[in-house]
């Protein structure tokens, strides 16, 4: 993919935005990060703080009631929060994931409801695609949407839905023509948790991203009007795939923040920890580990913001850049956090220090929003063609 004239410098406004987010995170979130992880309870106080500070509406168009900005600003927000609490970074990340289908294909009324509601803190959103029997093969979903007069009746179960329970609005994908061609028979719906027949299943007890609920979403004869359809009937699969292209840079930013947070803590540690009469940072074996980590992190940062820029610029190759960023940054997060645990030795393995939490948080970034194996398929198809 030839691309020239790239400029990855942040504007003065973006640098100021990053600084303001970092200040809020270090003042308010950092002291709560370990507690949020331990309790595994949704941090409503931080959610409300993001609303009050104006950060909840970042990347939502102003014409629909949002705070403005784009994918770059959203990635900056998520990266900075993830340096301390990846679970909390999913508050803005998953709101946007749930909202993207509406922003891509929804009616003006739907866009206003979502953008203004998230910005004002009236609504939180989740994205319902994965099912017990369909993960990477999303087109194999079993959820059904049947025509019923001038509306629809929905049935099905979605699994591993991030934010479920905290969210009140859900973009839900279901097969609307069981006899139609695969991937051209799915429709997207905008649902409310208060609809009759809408239920939540078990809450998952996860290794990482704790404080962000992950639950099943179960529909039992949920009746919705035509106005709940997002985009075209039977056009939902394309919306789902485009949504992931637009949201993967955000997960890449989460992975980048996790890696940077662990790295920063470990740098401080090795400069203070003394063995054999000197700081362990003086030993070449440690120095080379940090040189390698720095190279990986800075390369990941370039990939993340290249992908975010592709979203903002409506680049036709956004799928390619998003897959590279998500895959590479998440592999870096796993590698860097593992090395940071190693350099802290026994202290890295105990919960008193944050690197073990960041290592646990890192793993999911290689799995959700398309496993890294799927990302490699996407990249290879772009490079080699669809054989």
């Amino acid at each position: 993919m030839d691309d020239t004239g790239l400029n990855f410098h942040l504007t003065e406004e973006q640098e100021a935005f990053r600084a303001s987010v970092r200040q809020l995170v270090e003042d308010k979130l950092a002291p709560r990060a370990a507690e949020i992880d331990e309790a595994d309870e949704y941090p409503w106080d931080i959610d409300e703080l993001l609303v009050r500070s104006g950060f909840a509406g970042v990347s939502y168009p102003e014409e629909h009631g949002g705070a403005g900005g784009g994918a770059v600003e959203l990635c900056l927000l998520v990266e900075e929060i993830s340096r301390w609490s990846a679970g909390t970074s999913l508050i803005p990340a998953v709101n946007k994931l749930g909202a993207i289908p509406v922003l891509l294909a929804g009616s003006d009324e739907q866009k206003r409801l979502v953008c203004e509601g998230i910005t004002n803190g009236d609504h939180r959103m989740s994205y319902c695609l994965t099912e017990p029997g369909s993960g990477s093969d999303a087109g194999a979903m079993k959820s059904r949407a049947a025509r019923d007069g001038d509306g629809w009746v929905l049935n099905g179960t979605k699994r591993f839905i991030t934010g479920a329970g905290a969210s009140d609005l859900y973009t839900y994908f279901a097969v609307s023509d069981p006899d139609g061609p695969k991937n051209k028979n799915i429709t997207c719906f905008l649902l409310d948790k208060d609809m009759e027949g809408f239920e939540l299943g078990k809450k998952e007890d996860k290794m990482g991203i704790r404080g962000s609920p992950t639950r099943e979403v179960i529909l039992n004869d949920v009746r919705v009007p035509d106005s709940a359809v997002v985009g075209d009937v039977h056009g939902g699969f394309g919306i789902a795939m485009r949504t992931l292209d637009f949201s993967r840079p955000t997960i890449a930013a989460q992975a980048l923040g996790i890696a940077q947070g662990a790295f920063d803590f470990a740098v401080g540690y090795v400069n203070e920890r003394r063995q054999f009469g000197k700081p362990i940072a003086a030993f070449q074996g440690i120095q080379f580990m940090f040189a390698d980590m720095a190279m990986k992190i800075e390369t990941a940062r370039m990939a993340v913001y290249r992908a975010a820029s592709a979203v903002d610029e409506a680049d036709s190759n956004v799928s390619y850049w998003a897959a590279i960023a998500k895959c590479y940054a998440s592999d870096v997060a796993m590698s860097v956090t593992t090395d940071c645990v190693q350099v802290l030795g026994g202290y890295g393995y105990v919960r008193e220090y944050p690197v073990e939490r960041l290592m646990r948080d890192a793993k999911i970034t290689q799995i959700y929003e398309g496993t890294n194996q799927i990302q490699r398929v996407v990249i290879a198809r772009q490079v080699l063609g669809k054989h």
Side-chain angles (χ1 to χ4, degrees), residues 42-106:
Y42 188 82
W44 284 104
D45 59 324
I46 303 299
D47 180 308
E48 291 161 4
L49 181 63
L50 292 173
V51 173
R52 291 198 306 272
S53 65
F55 295 147
V58 168
S59 80
Y60 296 91
E62 293 180 24
E63 61 265 32
H64 297 298
V72 169
E73 285 77 13
L74 181 62
C75 284
L76 288 170
L77 176 64
V78 169
E79 179 193 344
E80 290 299 322
I81 296 174
S82 299
R83 289 172 62 243
W84 282 99
S85 175
T88 304
S89 77
L90 288 169
I91 295 174
V94 172
N95 275 340
K96 188 61 184 290
L97 174 63
I100 289 173
V102 174
L103 294 173
L104 288 174

Side-chain angles (χ1 to χ4, degrees), residues 107-220:
S107 65
D108 285 344
E109 183 179 356
Q110 289 171 337
K111 290 176 182 177
R112 170 65 63 173
L113 172 72
V114 165
C115 296
E116 191 173 272
I118 290 174
T119 300
N120 295 338
D122 294 332
H123 296 300
R124 281 89 184 165
M125 292 199 72
S126 288
Y127 176 85
C128 300
L129 184 65
T130 298
E131 295 190 357
S134 63
S136 296
D137 184 10
M141 67 179 64
K142 301 299 183 184
S143 290
R144 293 292 183 264
R147 263 293 184 190
D148 183 52
D150 59 354
W152 300 83
V153 177
L154 277 64
N155 285 279
T157 298
K158 300 293 183 179
R159 180 160 290 173
F160 302 136
I161 304 306
T162 309
S167 297
D168 62 297
L169 296 178
Y170 297 78
T171 40
Y172 192 101
F173 295 84
V175 173
S176 46
D177 181 8
D179 299 321
K182 185 180 177 182
N183 299 343
K184 296 182 179 180
N185 62 344
I186 292 169
T187 299
C188 178
F189 296 87
L190 180 60
L191 306 182
D192 188 292
K193 70 176 180 64
D194 292 329
M195 290 175 169
E196 186 175 354
F198 184 101
E199 299 176 11
L200 295 173
K202 68 172 183 175
K203 179 184 176 185
E204 304 293 348
D205 187 10
K206 307 188 299 296
M207 178 172 77
I209 57 167
R210 295 170 66 80
S212 173
T214 302
R215 301 182 67 169
E216 290 182 321
V217 171
I218 303 165
L219 304 186
N220 291 306

Side-chain angles (χ1 to χ4, degrees), residues 17-30 55 80 83:
F17 173 73
R18 180 197 284 277
S20 64
V21 175
R22 181 169 296 185
Q23 189 67 55
L24 180 140
V25 167
E26 292 181 350
D27 289 348
K28 302 297 184 181
L29 177 56
F55 295 147
E80 290 299 322
R83 289 172 62 243

